[in-house]
Amino acid sequence: AGGPGGGAHGLGLGLGLGLFGLGLGAGAGGIGDASRGDVPGHPAFVLVSALSSVPHCHVERYCGLVTVHMIKETVNVTTQFESLQVFYHQFVAEALLTAKAHVRAVGGDALLGYRINNLFLREGNRRAYAVISTSGDAAKLRPSVGGGPAGLSRAIS
């Protein structure tokens, strides 16, 4: 249930998953960093869900298909990143942040049906290489009439 697709490329730091935020990168304020829009109610907040609908919310309109394809490579993991796990985690976070920015750009406030279609990770001899392909439907949500947790309704409105 989505419209025409589009691609997005870019880099950034930050991660907000679903109804909870998880900080990543320098200066992250931990769980729910309001300065980056990881908290419900913040104008830059984008809800991310693998579900095609959100409890207590109605999809007002679908804004289109969001796809992100990214490649990242490093020649010395230990110099540029703390560890291989940090490299991979930051890469996946960058892909998610790019998808969330695309949702905002097309006028949505939610990324529904989010999935990682392909993820390829390879390392050897202090080098690391990663490829990711993700997709989901950008949507504009509206709280359902008369239902749901008050916090969630305020977050979407």
Side-chain angles (χ1 to χ4, degrees):
H9 302 277
L11 299 177
L13 296 175
L15 176 64
L17 295 172
L19 300 175
F20 48 90
L22 174 63
L24 173 72
I31 295 177
D33 188 354
S35 66
R36 286 194 332 269
D38 288 348
V39 201
H42 189 279
F45 178 77
V46 174
L47 182 102
V48 177
S49 175
L51 302 174
S52 60
S53 62
V54 178
H56 311 293
C57 289
H58 174 74
V59 175
E60 190 173 297
R61 70 182 166 89
Y62 285 98
C63 305
L65 180 66
V66 173
T67 59
V68 175
H69 311 283
M70 293 178 70
I71 299 171
K72 187 170 187 170
E73 181 179 23
T74 182
V75 293
N76 194 338
V77 173
T78 55
T79 302
Q80 293 180 305
F81 302 92
E82 185 178 312
S83 68
L84 187 62
Q85 291 80 11
V86 171
F87 170 77
Y88 291 142
H89 185 241
Q90 183 176 322
F91 176 66
V92 172
E94 289 169 353
L96 180 59
L97 186 63
T98 301
K100 290 170 70 173
H102 189 104
V103 168
R104 271 294 180 208
V106 296
D109 58 11
L111 182 60
L112 304 178
Y114 177 75
R115 69 182 53 146
I116 297 176
N117 301 317
N118 290 304
L119 179 61
F120 176 77
L121 309 170
R122 186 173 184 172
E123 62 94 12
N125 200 22
R126 295 189 327 214
R127 294 173 181 251
Y129 181 79
V131 177
I132 193 168
S133 177
T134 66
S135 65
D137 292 315
K140 182 76 175 164
L141 298 180
R142 180 174 38 114
S144 295
V145 177
L152 180 60
S153 296
R154 282 193 305 271
I156 302 303
S157 58

Short mmCIF file of all heavy atoms in Angstrom, two decimals, residues 56-106:
data_model
loop_
_atom_site.label_atom_id
_atom_site.label_comp_id
_atom_site.label_asym_id
_atom_site.label_seq_id
_atom_site.Cartn_x
_atom_site.Cartn_y
_atom_site.Cartn_z
N HIS A 56 -4.53 2.46 17.72
CA HIS A 56 -5.15 3.72 18.14
C HIS A 56 -4.86 4.87 17.19
O HIS A 56 -4.99 6.02 17.57
CB HIS A 56 -4.72 4.09 19.56
CG HIS A 56 -4.87 2.97 20.53
ND1 HIS A 56 -6.09 2.46 20.91
CD2 HIS A 56 -3.95 2.22 21.19
CE1 HIS A 56 -5.92 1.47 21.76
NE2 HIS A 56 -4.63 1.30 21.94
N CYS A 57 -4.45 4.57 15.97
CA CYS A 57 -4.21 5.60 14.97
C CYS A 57 -4.83 5.17 13.65
O CYS A 57 -4.98 3.99 13.37
CB CYS A 57 -2.71 5.83 14.75
SG CYS A 57 -1.92 6.65 16.12
N HIS A 58 -5.15 6.16 12.84
CA HIS A 58 -5.73 5.93 11.52
C HIS A 58 -4.78 6.55 10.49
O HIS A 58 -4.26 7.64 10.72
CB HIS A 58 -7.12 6.59 11.44
CG HIS A 58 -7.72 6.52 10.09
ND1 HIS A 58 -8.26 5.37 9.57
CD2 HIS A 58 -7.87 7.47 9.13
CE1 HIS A 58 -8.72 5.62 8.35
NE2 HIS A 58 -8.49 6.88 8.07
N VAL A 59 -4.56 5.85 9.40
CA VAL A 59 -3.72 6.40 8.34
C VAL A 59 -4.56 7.43 7.57
O VAL A 59 -5.54 7.08 6.92
CB VAL A 59 -3.20 5.30 7.38
CG1 VAL A 59 -2.43 5.94 6.23
CG2 VAL A 59 -2.32 4.32 8.14
N GLU A 60 -4.18 8.69 7.70
CA GLU A 60 -4.89 9.77 7.02
C GLU A 60 -4.61 9.73 5.52
O GLU A 60 -5.50 9.89 4.71
CB GLU A 60 -4.43 11.10 7.62
CG GLU A 60 -5.21 12.30 7.20
CD GLU A 60 -4.77 13.53 7.97
OE1 GLU A 60 -4.93 13.55 9.21
OE2 GLU A 60 -4.24 14.46 7.32
N ARG A 61 -3.34 9.51 5.18
CA ARG A 61 -2.97 9.37 3.76
C ARG A 61 -1.60 8.70 3.67
O ARG A 61 -0.77 8.81 4.55
CB ARG A 61 -2.96 10.70 3.03
CG ARG A 61 -1.85 11.63 3.41
CD ARG A 61 -1.95 12.96 2.65
NE ARG A 61 -1.09 13.94 3.26
CZ ARG A 61 0.18 14.12 2.93
NH1 ARG A 61 0.74 13.39 1.99
NH2 ARG A 61 0.91 15.03 3.54
N TYR A 62 -1.42 7.98 2.58
CA TYR A 62 -0.11 7.39 2.27
C TYR A 62 0.64 8.39 1.40
O TYR A 62 0.10 8.96 0.47
CB TYR A 62 -0.27 6.05 1.54
CG TYR A 62 -0.70 4.94 2.46
CD1 TYR A 62 -2.04 4.56 2.53
CD2 TYR A 62 0.22 4.29 3.26
CE1 TYR A 62 -2.45 3.55 3.38
CE2 TYR A 62 -0.18 3.27 4.12
CZ TYR A 62 -1.51 2.91 4.17
OH TYR A 62 -1.90 1.90 5.02
N CYS A 63 1.92 8.59 1.72
CA CYS A 63 2.74 9.59 1.02
C CYS A 63 3.66 8.96 -0.01
O CYS A 63 4.33 9.68 -0.75
CB CYS A 63 3.56 10.38 2.03
SG CYS A 63 2.56 11.15 3.31
N GLY A 64 3.74 7.64 -0.06
CA GLY A 64 4.57 6.97 -1.05
C GLY A 64 5.53 5.97 -0.44
O GLY A 64 5.70 5.89 0.76
N LEU A 65 6.15 5.22 -1.31
CA LEU A 65 7.13 4.22 -0.91
C LEU A 65 8.47 4.89 -0.64
O LEU A 65 8.91 5.76 -1.40
CB LEU A 65 7.29 3.18 -2.03
CG LEU A 65 8.29 2.05 -1.79
CD1 LEU A 65 7.82 1.16 -0.65
CD2 LEU A 65 8.46 1.24 -3.07
N VAL A 66 9.12 4.48 0.44
CA VAL A 66 10.45 4.99 0.78
C VAL A 66 11.42 3.82 0.64
O VAL A 66 11.23 2.77 1.24
CB VAL A 66 10.48 5.53 2.22
CG1 VAL A 66 11.89 5.90 2.65
CG2 VAL A 66 9.56 6.73 2.36
N THR A 67 12.46 4.00 -0.16
CA THR A 67 13.51 3.00 -0.26
C THR A 67 14.86 3.68 -0.03
O THR A 67 15.07 4.82 -0.46
CB THR A 67 13.53 2.32 -1.65
OG1 THR A 67 13.73 3.30 -2.65
CG2 THR A 67 12.24 1.58 -1.91
N VAL A 68 15.73 3.00 0.66
CA VAL A 68 17.07 3.51 0.93
C VAL A 68 18.06 2.40 0.59
O VAL A 68 17.90 1.26 1.05
CB VAL A 68 17.24 3.93 2.41
CG1 VAL A 68 18.67 4.33 2.70
CG2 VAL A 68 16.28 5.07 2.75
N HIS A 69 19.05 2.74 -0.20
CA HIS A 69 20.13 1.81 -0.56
C HIS A 69 21.44 2.51 -0.22
O HIS A 69 21.68 3.61 -0.72
CB HIS A 69 20.08 1.48 -2.05
CG HIS A 69 18.72 1.08 -2.52
ND1 HIS A 69 18.17 -0.15 -2.28
CD2 HIS A 69 17.77 1.79 -3.19
CE1 HIS A 69 16.96 -0.20 -2.81
NE2 HIS A 69 16.69 0.98 -3.36
N MET A 70 22.25 1.89 0.61
CA MET A 70 23.50 2.52 1.03
C MET A 70 24.65 1.53 1.02
O MET A 70 24.45 0.33 1.24
CB MET A 70 23.37 3.12 2.43
CG MET A 70 22.42 4.29 2.52
SD MET A 70 22.23 4.95 4.19
CE MET A 70 23.82 5.69 4.44
N ILE A 71 25.84 2.06 0.80
CA ILE A 71 27.08 1.29 0.86
C ILE A 71 28.06 2.07 1.72
O ILE A 71 28.14 3.30 1.62
CB ILE A 71 27.69 1.10 -0.54
CG1 ILE A 71 26.73 0.33 -1.44
CG2 ILE A 71 29.05 0.40 -0.46
CD1 ILE A 71 27.16 0.29 -2.90
N LYS A 72 28.79 1.38 2.56
CA LYS A 72 29.80 2.03 3.39
C LYS A 72 31.01 1.11 3.49
O LYS A 72 30.87 -0.10 3.63
CB LYS A 72 29.24 2.33 4.78
CG LYS A 72 30.17 3.16 5.64
CD LYS A 72 29.45 3.62 6.88
CE LYS A 72 30.33 4.58 7.65
NZ LYS A 72 29.58 5.23 8.72
N GLU A 73 32.18 1.72 3.45
CA GLU A 73 33.42 0.95 3.51
C GLU A 73 34.42 1.70 4.38
O GLU A 73 34.44 2.92 4.41
CB GLU A 73 33.97 0.79 2.10
CG GLU A 73 35.24 -0.01 2.03
CD GLU A 73 35.72 -0.16 0.60
OE1 GLU A 73 35.36 0.67 -0.26
OE2 GLU A 73 36.48 -1.10 0.34
N THR A 74 35.23 0.96 5.10
CA THR A 74 36.32 1.55 5.86
C THR A 74 37.56 0.68 5.68
O THR A 74 37.45 -0.54 5.57
CB THR A 74 35.97 1.72 7.35
OG1 THR A 74 37.05 2.35 8.02
CG2 THR A 74 35.67 0.38 8.01
N VAL A 75 38.70 1.32 5.63
CA VAL A 75 39.93 0.57 5.41
C VAL A 75 40.64 0.23 6.72
O VAL A 75 41.53 -0.62 6.73
CB VAL A 75 40.90 1.31 4.47
CG1 VAL A 75 40.31 1.39 3.07
CG2 VAL A 75 41.24 2.69 4.99
N ASN A 76 40.27 0.89 7.81
CA ASN A 76 40.86 0.58 9.10
C ASN A 76 39.80 0.76 10.19
O ASN A 76 39.63 1.86 10.71
CB ASN A 76 42.08 1.45 9.38
CG ASN A 76 42.90 0.93 10.54
OD1 ASN A 76 42.40 0.18 11.38
ND2 ASN A 76 44.15 1.31 10.58
N VAL A 77 39.11 -0.31 10.52
CA VAL A 77 38.00 -0.25 11.47
C VAL A 77 38.44 0.27 12.82
O VAL A 77 37.78 1.13 13.40
CB VAL A 77 37.35 -1.65 11.63
CG1 VAL A 77 36.31 -1.64 12.72
CG2 VAL A 77 36.74 -2.10 10.33
N THR A 78 39.55 -0.22 13.34
CA THR A 78 39.96 0.15 14.69
C THR A 78 40.40 1.61 14.81
O THR A 78 40.28 2.20 15.87
CB THR A 78 41.10 -0.77 15.18
OG1 THR A 78 42.17 -0.73 14.23
CG2 THR A 78 40.60 -2.19 15.35
N THR A 79 40.86 2.22 13.72
CA THR A 79 41.25 3.62 13.76
C THR A 79 40.03 4.53 13.63
O THR A 79 39.90 5.51 14.37
CB THR A 79 42.25 3.95 12.64
OG1 THR A 79 43.39 3.11 12.79
CG2 THR A 79 42.68 5.40 12.68
N GLN A 80 39.13 4.23 12.71
CA GLN A 80 37.98 5.08 12.45
C GLN A 80 36.80 4.82 13.39
O GLN A 80 36.01 5.72 13.62
CB GLN A 80 37.52 4.90 11.00
CG GLN A 80 38.53 5.42 10.00
CD GLN A 80 38.05 5.22 8.57
OE1 GLN A 80 37.73 4.11 8.18
NE2 GLN A 80 38.00 6.30 7.82
N PHE A 81 36.66 3.61 13.90
CA PHE A 81 35.56 3.23 14.77
C PHE A 81 36.12 2.48 15.95
O PHE A 81 37.20 1.91 15.90
CB PHE A 81 34.55 2.34 14.02
CG PHE A 81 33.99 3.01 12.80
CD1 PHE A 81 34.59 2.85 11.56
CD2 PHE A 81 32.86 3.81 12.89
CE1 PHE A 81 34.08 3.47 10.42
CE2 PHE A 81 32.35 4.43 11.77
CZ PHE A 81 32.96 4.27 10.54
N GLU A 82 35.37 2.44 17.02
CA GLU A 82 35.82 1.74 18.21
C GLU A 82 35.96 0.24 17.97
O GLU A 82 36.89 -0.40 18.45
CB GLU A 82 34.82 1.99 19.34
CG GLU A 82 35.22 1.42 20.66
CD GLU A 82 34.21 1.77 21.73
OE1 GLU A 82 33.82 2.95 21.81
OE2 GLU A 82 33.82 0.85 22.46
N SER A 83 35.04 -0.31 17.19
CA SER A 83 35.06 -1.74 16.89
C SER A 83 34.24 -2.00 15.62
O SER A 83 33.56 -1.11 15.11
CB SER A 83 34.47 -2.55 18.06
OG SER A 83 33.08 -2.30 18.18
N LEU A 84 34.27 -3.22 15.18
CA LEU A 84 33.48 -3.62 14.01
C LEU A 84 31.99 -3.50 14.29
O LEU A 84 31.22 -3.07 13.43
CB LEU A 84 33.84 -5.07 13.64
CG LEU A 84 33.25 -5.60 12.35
CD1 LEU A 84 33.76 -4.79 11.16
CD2 LEU A 84 33.60 -7.06 12.19
N GLN A 85 31.58 -3.82 15.52
CA GLN A 85 30.18 -3.72 15.89
C GLN A 85 29.69 -2.27 15.82
O GLN A 85 28.57 -2.00 15.37
CB GLN A 85 29.94 -4.28 17.29
CG GLN A 85 30.10 -5.77 17.39
CD GLN A 85 31.56 -6.22 17.49
OE1 GLN A 85 32.47 -5.40 17.69
NE2 GLN A 85 31.80 -7.51 17.34
N VAL A 86 30.53 -1.32 16.22
CA VAL A 86 30.17 0.09 16.15
C VAL A 86 30.00 0.52 14.70
O VAL A 86 29.06 1.24 14.36
CB VAL A 86 31.21 0.97 16.88
CG1 VAL A 86 30.97 2.45 16.62
CG2 VAL A 86 31.21 0.67 18.37
N PHE A 87 30.89 0.07 13.83
CA PHE A 87 30.80 0.38 12.40
C PHE A 87 29.47 -0.09 11.83
O PHE A 87 28.75 0.68 11.17
CB PHE A 87 31.97 -0.26 11.65
CG PHE A 87 31.84 -0.20 10.14
CD1 PHE A 87 32.10 0.97 9.46
CD2 PHE A 87 31.46 -1.33 9.42
CE1 PHE A 87 31.99 1.03 8.07
CE2 PHE A 87 31.36 -1.28 8.04
CZ PHE A 87 31.61 -0.10 7.36
N TYR A 88 29.09 -1.34 12.09
CA TYR A 88 27.86 -1.89 11.56
C TYR A 88 26.63 -1.22 12.17
O TYR A 88 25.67 -0.91 11.48
CB TYR A 88 27.79 -3.40 11.75
CG TYR A 88 28.78 -4.16 10.90
CD1 TYR A 88 29.43 -5.28 11.38
CD2 TYR A 88 29.04 -3.77 9.59
CE1 TYR A 88 30.32 -5.99 10.58
CE2 TYR A 88 29.93 -4.46 8.79
CZ TYR A 88 30.57 -5.57 9.30
OH TYR A 88 31.45 -6.26 8.51
N HIS A 89 26.66 -1.00 13.48
CA HIS A 89 25.53 -0.37 14.15
C HIS A 89 25.31 1.06 13.63
O HIS A 89 24.18 1.45 13.34
CB HIS A 89 25.75 -0.35 15.66
CG HIS A 89 24.58 0.17 16.42
ND1 HIS A 89 24.65 1.29 17.20
CD2 HIS A 89 23.30 -0.26 16.51
CE1 HIS A 89 23.46 1.53 17.74
NE2 HIS A 89 22.63 0.60 17.34
N GLN A 90 26.37 1.81 13.48
CA GLN A 90 26.26 3.17 12.97
C GLN A 90 25.74 3.17 11.53
O GLN A 90 24.93 4.01 11.15
CB GLN A 90 27.61 3.88 13.03
CG GLN A 90 27.55 5.32 12.56
CD GLN A 90 28.87 6.04 12.73
OE1 GLN A 90 29.56 5.83 13.71
NE2 GLN A 90 29.21 6.87 11.77
N PHE A 91 26.16 2.20 10.74
CA PHE A 91 25.71 2.10 9.35
C PHE A 91 24.20 1.86 9.27
O PHE A 91 23.50 2.54 8.52
CB PHE A 91 26.48 0.97 8.65
CG PHE A 91 26.02 0.70 7.25
CD1 PHE A 91 26.21 1.64 6.25
CD2 PHE A 91 25.41 -0.50 6.92
CE1 PHE A 91 25.79 1.41 4.94
CE2 PHE A 91 24.99 -0.74 5.62
CZ PHE A 91 25.18 0.21 4.63
N VAL A 92 23.69 0.93 10.06
CA VAL A 92 22.26 0.65 10.06
C VAL A 92 21.49 1.87 10.58
O VAL A 92 20.43 2.23 10.05
CB VAL A 92 21.94 -0.62 10.88
CG1 VAL A 92 20.45 -0.81 11.05
CG2 VAL A 92 22.56 -1.84 10.21
N ALA A 93 22.03 2.55 11.59
CA ALA A 93 21.40 3.75 12.13
C ALA A 93 21.35 4.86 11.07
O ALA A 93 20.34 5.57 10.96
CB ALA A 93 22.16 4.23 13.37
N GLU A 94 22.40 5.01 10.29
CA GLU A 94 22.42 6.02 9.22
C GLU A 94 21.36 5.72 8.17
O GLU A 94 20.69 6.64 7.67
CB GLU A 94 23.80 6.08 8.58
CG GLU A 94 24.86 6.70 9.47
CD GLU A 94 26.27 6.52 8.93
OE1 GLU A 94 26.46 5.81 7.92
OE2 GLU A 94 27.19 7.10 9.53
N ALA A 95 21.18 4.45 7.83
CA ALA A 95 20.17 4.08 6.85
C ALA A 95 18.77 4.39 7.38
O ALA A 95 17.91 4.91 6.65
CB ALA A 95 20.29 2.60 6.49
N LEU A 96 18.52 4.11 8.67
CA LEU A 96 17.22 4.40 9.26
C LEU A 96 16.97 5.90 9.33
O LEU A 96 15.87 6.37 9.01
CB LEU A 96 17.12 3.78 10.65
CG LEU A 96 15.79 4.01 11.38
CD1 LEU A 96 14.62 3.46 10.58
CD2 LEU A 96 15.84 3.38 12.76
N LEU A 97 17.97 6.67 9.71
CA LEU A 97 17.82 8.12 9.78
C LEU A 97 17.54 8.70 8.40
O LEU A 97 16.73 9.61 8.24
CB LEU A 97 19.07 8.76 10.38
CG LEU A 97 18.97 10.26 10.63
CD1 LEU A 97 17.90 10.56 11.66
CD2 LEU A 97 20.31 10.81 11.07
N THR A 98 18.18 8.17 7.38
CA THR A 98 17.94 8.62 6.00
C THR A 98 16.49 8.32 5.59
O THR A 98 15.82 9.16 4.99
CB THR A 98 18.92 7.94 5.03
OG1 THR A 98 20.25 8.26 5.43
CG2 THR A 98 18.70 8.39 3.60
N ALA A 99 15.99 7.15 5.94
CA ALA A 99 14.60 6.79 5.63
C ALA A 99 13.63 7.72 6.36
O ALA A 99 12.64 8.18 5.79
CB ALA A 99 14.33 5.33 6.00
N LYS A 100 13.92 8.03 7.63
CA LYS A 100 13.06 8.93 8.39
C LYS A 100 13.06 10.33 7.79
O LYS A 100 12.02 10.99 7.74
CB LYS A 100 13.52 8.97 9.85
CG LYS A 100 13.24 7.67 10.59
CD LYS A 100 13.91 7.62 11.95
CE LYS A 100 13.30 8.58 12.91
NZ LYS A 100 13.85 8.42 14.28
N ALA A 101 14.20 10.80 7.32
CA ALA A 101 14.28 12.12 6.69
C ALA A 101 13.46 12.14 5.39
O ALA A 101 12.80 13.13 5.08
CB ALA A 101 15.74 12.48 6.40
N HIS A 102 13.48 11.04 4.66
CA HIS A 102 12.69 10.94 3.43
C HIS A 102 11.19 11.00 3.74
O HIS A 102 10.43 11.65 3.03
CB HIS A 102 13.05 9.66 2.68
CG HIS A 102 12.46 9.57 1.30
ND1 HIS A 102 13.20 9.78 0.18
CD2 HIS A 102 11.20 9.31 0.90
CE1 HIS A 102 12.41 9.65 -0.89
NE2 HIS A 102 11.20 9.36 -0.47
N VAL A 103 10.79 10.33 4.83
CA VAL A 103 9.38 10.37 5.25
C VAL A 103 8.96 11.80 5.53
O VAL A 103 7.91 12.27 5.07
CB VAL A 103 9.16 9.48 6.49
CG1 VAL A 103 7.79 9.74 7.11
CG2 VAL A 103 9.32 8.01 6.15
N ARG A 104 9.78 12.54 6.28
CA ARG A 104 9.49 13.94 6.58
C ARG A 104 9.43 14.78 5.30
O ARG A 104 8.60 15.66 5.16
CB ARG A 104 10.54 14.51 7.53
CG ARG A 104 10.21 14.33 8.96
CD ARG A 104 8.99 15.14 9.25
NE ARG A 104 8.59 15.01 10.63
CZ ARG A 104 7.34 15.15 11.02
NH1 ARG A 104 6.40 15.36 10.15
NH2 ARG A 104 7.02 15.06 12.26
N ALA A 105 10.33 14.50 4.35
CA ALA A 105 10.39 15.27 3.11
C ALA A 105 9.14 15.13 2.26
O ALA A 105 8.78 16.06 1.54
CB ALA A 105 11.62 14.87 2.30
N VAL A 106 8.46 13.99 2.35
CA VAL A 106 7.25 13.79 1.56
C VAL A 106 5.98 14.10 2.36
O VAL A 106 4.88 13.84 1.90
CB VAL A 106 7.18 12.37 0.94
CG1 VAL A 106 8.30 12.16 -0.04
CG2 VAL A 106 7.16 11.29 2.02
#
